[in-house]
Amino acid sequence: MTSRVVILGGGTGGTLVANRLRRRFSDEQMAITVVDQDDRHVYQPGLLFVPFGLAHVEDIVRPRSRQLHRGIDFVHRPIEWVDIATQQVHLDGGDTLGYDVLVVASGASLVVEETEGLAGPGWMDKVFTFYTPEGAAALEAALATSDGGRLVVNVIDMPIKCPVAPLEFCFLADWYFHQRGIRDRVQLTYVTPLDGAFTKPVASAHLGGMLAERGIELVTEFNTGQVDGQGGRLVSYDDREVAFDLAVVVPLHGGAAYVGRSPGLGDELNFVPTDERTLQAKAAPNVFVIGDATNVPASKAGSVTHFEGETLVENVARHLGGEPLVEGFDGHANCFIETGYHKAMLIDFNYDQEPVPGHYPGSVGLPLLRQSRLNHLAKLLFQSVYWHGLLPGRDIPAIGAAMPTAGKQQVTTGEE
Ligand SMILES: Cc1cc2nc3c(=O)[nH]c(=O)nc-3n(C[C@H](O)[C@H](O)[C@H](O)COP(=O)(O)OP(=O)(O)OC[C@H]3O[C@@H](n4cnc5c(N)ncnc54)[C@H](O)[C@@H]3O)c2cc1C
């Protein structure tokens, strides 16, 4: 009998899972359908470079359907809701798709309207986000005409996709204004709800030190309650204020809205409660979750999504075969942190191991928690690896799903 697997979302996770399943199961064994609301697959890490003119939106977008192997159905329609009880996906327009196994890969979305004033006067004029292609392109134009003033980068709340991206934005902005010869006329401030530059202590100390070295002010424990675009002010819930001439905001994130309309599937933020090791949804044994859509305590990152893919595909196969699931996902994340001046840092960590100095993937390799040109080149190269290795579901040499321990120094303080 042919098993029906429906995958909700054709982004990073949905595409790589569909392609990995197609490589493993014949058309007779498995019918695979991917549903997405649009046909524009954005290489999201590239959005960071757009505001600085280092990439253009058209260079980082490809048709979704073309990233899927032959023998995978692509349904280009918004998902309305999922009925777990009857195993049906309801699409916009009224059609339904029945499934034996459901894979939720619908990512995280930006809930701009949740923050008072954010989408009001000043939005896309003095207040921008680089987390969308439109926002990143508009910000490029705004930065190009800026000749100084107070530039504030603000994370409204966690969790966000790629938690290092706003820090990278700060480092690149420092470099950008240096290159334009007006750095001394720009006051750069990073405003975060966290108690430091980053979540993990060793990396937070390193990154906080780098902000200070670059003359970038760090404002911590700031929970933004209001963005006053016209008046140029961020206002926190405890009535602190940060003034700006130009604000770059990472809006609040939630899961996809249809999750909230699907009884029993999501939590209050529309993320999907998921077993952090097997990636099986808490809602039903035939539902699995990958990437930003989960509530697992790992970073919302493409690297995490990639590393989850192996366990998820194995567990879909085991579920269909009536075998026990593997507790295979260890929370592995790795992120390049672009620091400007043709350099980048790399961090590599999992549920149990915080980012520490050393090398990746072994005692010889890319330097960890240290700026280097090699890391910058690797970050640039990654776009090609994404389209030609990661999305097609190929195993990528030296980038294994389990976090490597060889090469890592066991550090417990911020000192290298
Ligand atoms: C600015 C930026 C920089 C980043 N940099 C990095 C980086 O350097 N390294 C890194 O590892 N990660 C990075 N990321 C994060 C990375 O891109 C995401 O974590 C990754 O794409 C998650 O994959 P996903 O499949 O879970 O979600 P996505 O790739 O976002 O896919 C979700 C899909 O679901 C679809 N969908 C949602 N709702 C519906 C609906 N109702 N109906 C139909 N379809 C729907 C969407 O259209 C989308 O195609 C970055 C992200 C951003 C925004």
Side-chain angles (χ1 to χ4, degrees), residues 387-412:
W387 295 116
H388 302 294
L390 188 149
L391 289 185
R394 298 201 173 92
D395 290 327
I396 301 169
I399 310 185
M403 189 204 73
T405 48
K408 289 196 171 63
Q409 293 172 22
Q410 298 308 311
V411 179
T412 51

Side-chain angles (χ1 to χ4, degrees), residues 22 24 51 99 111 119 150 231 254 375:
R22 188 70 298 156
R24 182 159 171 170
Y99 61 82
V111 266
R150 295 160 301 181
N375 286 338

Side-chain angles (χ1 to χ4, degrees), residues 2 36 81 88-89 98 107 120 123 191-192 202 209 215 232 239 241 245 315 358 379 390 392 414:
T2 307
D36 207 294
W81 65 288
Q88 298 277 334
V89 176
W123 181 234
V191 182
T192 168
V202 176
D239 291 327
E241 290 193 8
D245 298 301
N315 280 341
K379 174 145 180 144
L390 188 149

Side-chain angles (χ1 to χ4, degrees), residues 224-245:
T224 306
Q226 188 202 348
V227 178
D228 174 6
Q230 242 164 4
R233 292 178 312 145
L234 301 177
V235 185
S236 70
Y237 284 109
D238 58 358
D239 291 327
R240 291 150 69 199
E241 290 193 8
V242 175
F244 62 81
D245 298 301

Side-chain angles (χ1 to χ4, degrees), residues 28-326:
E28 288 68 39
Q29 291 171 312
M30 186 178 282
I32 305 171
T33 304
V34 174
V35 187
D36 207 294
Q37 60 203 355
D38 63 53
D39 195 20
R40 292 176 82 219
H41 189 131
V42 180
Y43 175 66
Q44 297 177 50
L47 292 172
L48 171 70
F49 297 102
V50 171
F52 304 104
L54 298 169
H56 300 288
V57 171
E58 59 271 23
D59 303 334
I60 58 170
V61 179
R62 296 189 181 185
R64 281 190 200 292
S65 40
R66 297 251 299 273
Q67 314 314 314
L68 297 169
H69 292 335
R70 214 172 303 155
I72 297 171
D73 287 333
F74 179 65
V75 175
H76 179 176
R77 291 267 283 285
I79 301 149
E80 267 302 308
W81 65 288
V82 179
D83 188 347
I84 300 166
T86 60
Q87 302 185 189
Q88 298 277 334
V89 176
H90 293 256
L91 302 175
D92 184 41
D95 292 342
T96 56
L97 290 170
Y99 61 82
D100 300 308
V101 168
L102 186 72
V103 178
V104 179
S106 39
S109 50
L110 310 183
V111 266
V112 177
E113 61 284 357
E114 275 295 310
T115 303
E116 188 186 334
L118 180 54
W123 181 234
M124 296 285 182
D125 178 28
K126 279 168 72 173
V127 182
F128 296 87
T129 185
F130 63 99
Y131 268 50
T132 62
E134 301 70 29
L139 183 53
E140 181 192 2
L143 286 181
T145 53
S146 162
D147 61 0
R150 295 160 301 181
L151 172 57
V152 169
V153 179
N154 175 223
V155 175
I156 299 275
D157 204 354
M158 304 300 283
I160 60 168
K161 300 195 245 194
C162 194
V164 294
L167 283 162
E168 295 179 277
F169 187 93
C170 291
F171 297 135
L172 286 178
D174 168 59
W175 183 42
Y176 172 86
F177 288 116
H178 258 296
Q179 282 181 314
R180 287 186 44 199
I182 58 167
R183 178 65 181 91
D184 55 341
R185 302 216 296 267
V186 180
Q187 186 185 324
L188 270 171
T189 307
Y190 183 55
V191 182
T192 168
L194 300 174
D195 61 4
F198 193 57
T199 43
K200 318 272 177 180
V202 176
S204 184
H206 273 262
L207 292 162
M210 283 171 60
L211 289 174
E213 276 164 27
R214 306 279 182 99
I216 302 168
E217 187 192 357
L218 175 62
V219 177
T220 57
E221 296 178 330
F222 190 97
N223 294 106
T224 306
Q226 188 202 348
V227 178
D228 174 6
Q230 242 164 4
R233 292 178 312 145
L234 301 177
V235 185
S236 70
Y237 284 109
D238 58 358
D239 291 327
R240 291 150 69 199
E241 290 193 8
V242 175
F244 62 81
D245 298 301
L246 190 74
V248 177
V249 172
V250 180
L252 188 75
H253 284 34
Y258 80 84
V259 172
R261 298 190 292 269
S262 305
L265 186 60
D267 63 16
E268 64 287 351
L269 292 174
N270 295 339
F271 293 117
V272 181
T274 304
D275 183 286
E276 66 182 53
R277 303 265 170 192
T278 65
L279 304 175
Q280 187 179 44
K282 300 281 171 73
N286 62 339
V287 178
F288 293 85
V289 197
I290 188 165
D292 297 346
T294 74
N295 75 338
V296 303
S299 291
K300 296 207 178 297
S303 62
V304 172
T305 308
H306 171 213
F307 298 139
E308 287 171 340
E310 204 171 283
T311 297
L312 189 137
V313 166
E314 178 62 27
N315 280 341
V316 168
R318 283 171 176 251
H319 172 79
L320 289 169
E323 296 169 53
L325 305 186
V326 287

